[in-house]
Amino acid sequence: MPVLALLSAVFVVGVEQTLQWKYGATGIIGLLLLTIGIKAKSPAVSSIGAVVLAILVSGPAL
């Protein structure tokens, strides 16, 4: 069980660092809103986070 928790923590930190490096603080805020919305079972907050991340990812294509 501790190995699974360690691997999950490493994955989360890796995703956060990649977002910070590629998309800056806005990417972290979007990921934070998405995570909080999912954990709090709030569709509005998770949707806002998902939209922020989608805009960041598709920004250069627009």
Side-chain angles (χ1 to χ4, degrees):
M1 196 67 173
V3 174
L4 183 60
L6 179 65
L7 288 175
S8 136
V10 167
F11 177 74
V12 168
V13 169
V15 169
E16 287 179 0
Q17 290 299 318
T18 302
L19 280 172
Q20 179 70 25
W21 171 71
K22 192 165 184 174
Y23 299 113
T26 310
I28 294 297
I29 291 170
L31 182 64
L32 183 67
L33 285 171
L34 182 64
T35 305
I36 289 172
I38 290 172
K39 288 188 180 199
K41 296 180 182 168
S42 172
V45 176
S46 60
S47 296
I48 291 170
V51 167
V52 167
L53 290 174
I55 290 172
L56 283 174
V57 171
S58 68
L62 298 175

